[in-house]
Amino acid sequence: VFKKDIQLILNMKKIFFTLVITSSITGLESQETRTENNGNLILEDIPLIPESIKEDLSKFQNVRSAAFRGFNHQEEGLYISTRFGNVSQLHLVKSPGAMRSQITYFQEPIGSVSMHPTQSSIAFTMDKGGTENAQIYLLDPNSSSVKLLTDGISRNGGPLWSNLGDLIAFQSTKSNGSSNDVWIMSVDDNQKSEIILESQDGTWWGAADWNQDDTKVLIQNYISIANSKAYIVDVKTKEKTLVLGEPDQSYVNSALAFSKNDKGIFFITNQYGEFNQLAYHDIKTSEVTIISKEIPWDVDGFSISDDGNKAAFAVNENGYSTLYLLDTDSFKFNKVVSLPIGLVGGMQFSKDNMSLGLTLNTYQSPSDSYVLDLNSEALKYGKLTRWTYSEVGGLDTSKFVKPELITYPSFDGKEIPAFVYAKKSLSPQPVIIYIHGGPESQARPSFSSTFQLWMDNFGAAVITPNVRGSDGYGKEYLSLDNGFRREDSVKDIGALLDWIKTQSNLDHKSVAVYGGSYGGYMVLASAVHYSDRLKAAVDIVGISNFVTFLKNTKDYRRDLRRVEYGDERDPDMEKFLQRISPNNNVEQITVPMFVVQGQNDPRVPVTEAEQIVKSLRESGKKVWYMNALNEGHGYRKKENRDIYQQAVVLFLKENL
């Protein structure tokens, strides 16, 4: 029996080597494929994850967050979204630090949430499998009963209750699958729905606010990151009036809310300065008052109380949030000094207008829900109370590395801001360059168990650059990568590699690039231009060819992306986009590559990943490929994220 077993092994070896030789002769690479998570996660040429990595990552993968979603109707607590299973769901917390009571139990994560103005009902959105074809649902939190309000097919979002609570304004593509129209529907009879604004130009439209008597809707028109306008639409006649912006001018004019008594509109604009400023438009006189003109940073958050007497706004100061309270009559504001240094979001006033709920995130604590008490005369700027204490998997977050803000010079003398996460070390540390997406986004100093995981697991430093084209640094900086200047942002990564070489605590011979979406394109482009200076590259849902991307991205967003990347229908632009696309330059890529994708991605279609993987393999290059059949633009399900993170650590350990 032993001899027969030996002979069987020898025969199998012969078959194996014959297959390898055959593959080599035909120019094909042998490919190993396996699945995880009931067949939903496909892994190609990815080795089995060692148990030691799974154990090392366990704590980091069991971090939770608790984002503020709104106050309970009876003022008996607040709603949060957090994950106790595979995806985030809605929960109720009745007092600071109290146990969370789960309200929804879906297999998909909850999207946006909108509280009924006078009752306990909640409108929320949810899609399936990351398709982003979100539907609007009506939830009774007392019974947990749910009613589907939209058609179940089209893409819907931004549900906004009327003041009486009998109508919801929302954005939908249901007229033809591509137009971003604004609709209103009766909550009691959702069959009674109608378009109040029909989009005919491929731009995005969405409801921002109802006027006091629910006869008009303030509607935002988003054309690009640098061009937006606002209209007032009469619900009965459907007549629209341009109130913010000019037809032939390109500025940011983002509608926020009507002021009390509908006398004016609060909005954000860059028409009168370099940054996005908080402003007020008088409807009768058309006079504009710039409220935050003394603050040289972007206003990126706003909320107004139900009585219209007070508002709160957040400012992005070099990546960090500062919160201000505003008197809406005098336009005077005060800085909230009780907030720890971090990021602020999700602001909303309570029904009695005496509290402000918000989400706060710092580099040492994940997103948690807080309430700012505005009723205390003893405290000039309000008392801050923490309501949730999210689990951090047993990690000692007090030891998390604090990000350091630096700038480095690029090829044309521009100073590029970046955050550096690095432990003190006597020897040079390997480096992971984390490139954000967008491109009109910004790397900010938030809580990141992933960064701390990388630092703990293989002693790496992490650098998050805000290359040209990033948000948060003014409208000129935002436009520096547009059109034919696309690869100037890639040169900023080359300049960062130069800077790393000058730092004694960083190992310039051991650098990886990592990024998702547009950041995925930046990873691929960096691999094209700087393979000889890199050890590893991780591309997540990235663009591999701008022309095929623009042709295959969903209809409702194609024109929005053409404004940023260029119109591929123009012959000169098409030629340029083909020239710079990584998939047409794979011969220059020699660095090991890991490509991660979601099958249902509506933004960067799965074909972008498939074609770069195919091209690399045909060129004999090393590439790992992971595709989740139940995900879209990034992984939202914990079971998929866990394996993906484990595989990234294995990939970086092997190559970095």
Side-chain angles (χ1 to χ4, degrees):
V1 173
F2 178 76
K3 288 181 179 179
K4 287 182 179 180
D5 286 343
I6 293 295
Q7 189 59 48
L8 178 62
I9 292 170
L10 292 174
N11 289 338
M12 290 301 294
K13 282 186 176 182
K14 288 179 181 179
I15 294 171
F16 171 76
F17 286 117
T18 301
L19 287 171
V20 171
I21 291 169
T22 303
S23 297
S24 177
I25 291 172
T26 58
L28 299 175
E29 287 294 317
S30 59
Q31 179 181 306
E32 294 183 5
T33 302
R34 72 177 194 279
T35 64
E36 299 279 0
N37 299 338
N38 295 317
N40 282 317
L41 191 64
I42 300 173
L43 300 88
E44 295 180 0
D45 292 335
I46 300 175
L48 292 172
I49 310 297
E51 288 299 320
S52 58
I53 288 181
K54 295 179 183 180
E55 293 171 3
D56 288 343
L57 270 58
S58 177
K59 287 184 177 181
F60 295 96
Q61 293 181 329
N62 282 287
V63 173
R64 292 192 177 96
S65 61
F68 172 74
R69 306 307 292 268
F71 287 96
N72 174 265
H73 173 64
Q74 287 82 21
E75 305 289 351
E76 297 175 349
L78 49 85
Y79 290 104
I80 64 167
S81 57
T82 189
R83 176 194 58 76
F84 271 85
N86 202 26
V87 295
S88 290
Q89 296 294 304
L90 200 63
H91 294 69
L92 175 66
V93 180
K94 290 192 173 182
S95 61
M99 185 185 303
R100 292 153 284 196
S101 300
Q102 190 163 343
I103 305 298
T104 60
Y105 296 86
F106 298 106
Q107 298 301 310
E108 302 290 344
I110 297 293
S112 64
V113 174
S114 181
M115 306 297 167
H116 192 285
T118 62
Q119 301 174 9
S120 60
S121 300
I122 300 172
F124 70 92
T125 63
M126 182 173 63
D127 74 353
K128 185 176 182 180
T131 61
E132 298 187 17
N133 281 341
Q135 304 303 314
I136 301 174
Y137 299 83
L138 185 65
L139 168 69
D140 180 349
N142 300 313
S143 64
S144 292
S145 62
V146 174
K147 176 185 177 182
L148 175 65
L149 296 179
T150 45
D151 61 8
I153 301 171
S154 59
R155 183 179 188 267
N156 307 272
L160 181 69
W161 292 97
S162 62
N163 293 294
L164 287 178
D166 59 334
L167 299 171
I168 289 179
F170 63 104
Q171 183 274 335
S172 181
T173 63
K174 70 176 182 176
S175 64
N176 57 21
S178 60
S179 296
N180 297 291
D181 305 319
V182 180
W183 294 65
I184 57 171
M185 67 177 161
S186 168
V187 181
D188 294 330
D189 184 1
N190 58 315
Q191 298 302 313
K192 295 180 179 179
S193 62
E194 59 178 341
I195 294 179
I196 61 169
L197 189 145
E198 187 174 354
S199 170
Q200 298 177 340
D201 56 5
T203 61
W204 185 94
W205 300 76
D209 198 14
W210 292 79
N211 73 337
Q212 198 166 358
D213 63 3
D214 292 338
T215 59
K216 295 179 174 64
V217 180
L218 179 62
I219 292 181
Q220 182 66 48
N221 178 211
Y222 177 92
I223 301 167
S224 74
I225 189 72
N227 187 7
S228 53
K229 309 178 193 304
Y231 297 77
I232 291 178
V233 175
D234 186 291
V235 172
K236 187 175 182 179
T237 67
K238 313 299 188 294
E239 180 183 355
K240 74 176 188 289
T241 303
L242 180 65
V243 289
L244 302 176
E246 300 294 335
D248 57 347
Q249 294 180 345
S250 297
Y251 295 107
V252 170
N253 285 286
S254 299
L256 297 170
F258 285 108
S259 64
K260 63 181 179 181
N261 302 320
D262 299 330
K263 292 182 178 180
I265 299 168
F266 289 100
F267 69 111
I268 291 174
T269 181
N270 69 358
Q271 187 168 346
Y272 307 96
E274 181 65 21
F275 291 91
N276 292 340
Q277 300 172 309
L278 179 63
Y280 174 81
H281 171 89
D282 187 293
I283 293 177
K284 185 176 182 180
T285 67
S286 294
E287 181 182 355
V288 172
T289 303
I290 303 300
I291 298 171
S292 64
K293 61 183 176 181
E294 303 301 324
I295 302 175
W297 295 103
D298 282 350
V299 174
D300 66 355
F302 179 87
S303 181
I304 190 169
S305 60
D306 280 358
D307 61 12
N309 290 325
K310 60 175 72 76
F313 65 94
V315 175
N316 174 357
E317 297 187 6
N318 228 338
Y320 294 93
S321 291
T322 304
L323 181 63
Y324 296 87
L325 297 177
L326 171 72
D327 182 297
T328 57
D329 289 324
S330 66
F331 297 150
K332 292 182 179 179
F333 54 86
N334 293 312
K335 181 179 178 179
V336 177
V337 296
S338 56
L339 245 65
I341 296 174
L343 308 182
V344 171
M347 298 181 296
Q348 184 178 323
F349 283 89
S350 59
K351 292 298 178 184
D352 64 5
N353 307 305
M354 288 293 100
S355 299
L356 179 72
L358 53 90
T359 302
L360 183 62
N361 177 297
T362 77
Y363 79 94
Q364 288 184 323
S365 61
S367 294
D368 267 312
S369 295
Y370 291 74
V371 172
L372 188 67
D373 181 9
L374 308 176
N375 199 26
S376 175
E377 295 297 330
L379 293 170
K380 187 176 181 181
Y381 302 132
K383 177 185 176 183
L384 186 69
T385 301
R386 185 172 181 173
W387 273 63
T388 61
Y389 296 82
S390 291
E391 295 85 349
V392 290
L395 297 169
D396 183 358
T397 59
S398 66
K399 295 181 179 178
F400 274 20
V401 175
K402 183 179 181 179
E404 176 191 0
L405 177 63
I406 61 104
T407 62
Y408 64 90
S410 194
F411 67 97
D412 57 355
K414 296 287 184 186
E415 289 291 323
I416 310 300
F419 288 97
V420 178
Y421 300 73
K423 292 184 176 182
K424 292 182 179 179
S425 175
L426 297 176
S427 57
Q429 306 168 65
V431 180
I432 300 171
I433 300 174
Y434 183 102
I435 311 172
H436 68 71
E440 314 100 334
S441 186
Q442 182 185 16
R444 302 183 69 178
S446 61
F447 181 90
S448 176
S449 58
T450 298
F451 293 172
Q452 307 295 333
L453 180 159
W454 290 342
M455 287 185 278
D456 272 16
N457 261 260
F458 34 87
V462 182
I463 303 178
T464 61
N466 282 308
V467 298
R468 67 192 65 213
S470 298
D471 201 3
Y473 303 98
K475 59 189 178 186
E476 180 189 356
Y477 193 81
L478 189 67
S479 67
L480 290 178
D481 67 339
N482 287 358
F484 292 100
R485 295 180 290 181
R486 177 61 49 204
E487 285 195 319
D488 285 357
S489 60
V490 182
K491 293 178 183 177
D492 290 341
I493 299 300
L496 179 54
L497 293 171
D498 293 338
W499 180 84
I500 290 170
K501 195 172 183 179
T502 68
Q503 306 301 303
S504 60
N505 65 323
L506 303 178
D507 184 359
H508 72 278
K509 295 181 179 179
S510 188
V511 181
V513 284
Y514 177 108
S517 192
Y518 177 76
Y521 156 72
M522 290 289 287
V523 165
L524 294 172
S526 297
V528 168
H529 291 279
Y530 310 117
S531 269
D532 59 332
R533 304 171 70 181
L534 298 172
K535 289 292 186 183
V538 181
D539 157 37
I540 304 161
V541 296
I543 300 168
S544 62
N545 183 300
F546 282 109
V547 176
T548 57
F549 157 73
L550 289 167
K551 288 180 178 178
N552 295 325
T553 193
K554 287 294 184 181
D555 293 344
Y556 59 80
R557 63 189 312 276
R558 183 173 294 113
D559 287 337
L560 296 170
R561 293 294 81 199
R562 281 171 173 158
V563 175
E564 170 62 33
Y565 297 126
D567 192 333
E568 83 287 358
R569 295 169 299 184
D570 174 77
D572 290 338
M573 179 55 70
E574 195 269 347
K575 184 177 180 181
F576 170 74
L577 292 175
Q578 291 285 15
R579 181 174 63 80
I580 70 168
S581 290
N583 196 53
N584 294 330
N585 296 280
V586 290
E587 70 280 356
Q588 298 180 55
I589 299 177
T590 59
V591 63
M593 184 75 64
F594 185 6
V595 177
V596 181
Q597 182 66 38
Q599 180 71 25
N600 304 322
D601 193 340
R603 303 188 186 194
V604 180
V606 65
T607 48
E608 291 299 300
E610 291 172 343
Q611 65 189 11
I612 191 66
V613 169
K614 182 175 182 289
S615 296
L616 287 168
R617 285 176 175 162
E618 288 178 348
S619 299
K621 309 295 173 59
K622 178 180 179 181
V623 55
W624 294 10
Y625 181 47
M626 178 180 291
N627 184 20
L629 304 182
N630 58 350
E631 300 278 14
H633 198 63
Y635 289 4
R636 300 183 300 174
K637 295 178 171 64
K638 184 179 185 297
E639 62 179 6
N640 293 330
R641 286 202 312 272
D642 283 356
I643 295 176
Y644 142 71
Q645 289 177 327
Q646 293 161 5
V648 167
V649 168
L650 178 60
F651 180 75
L652 293 176
K653 277 182 177 291
E654 284 195 5
N655 297 291
L656 185 61

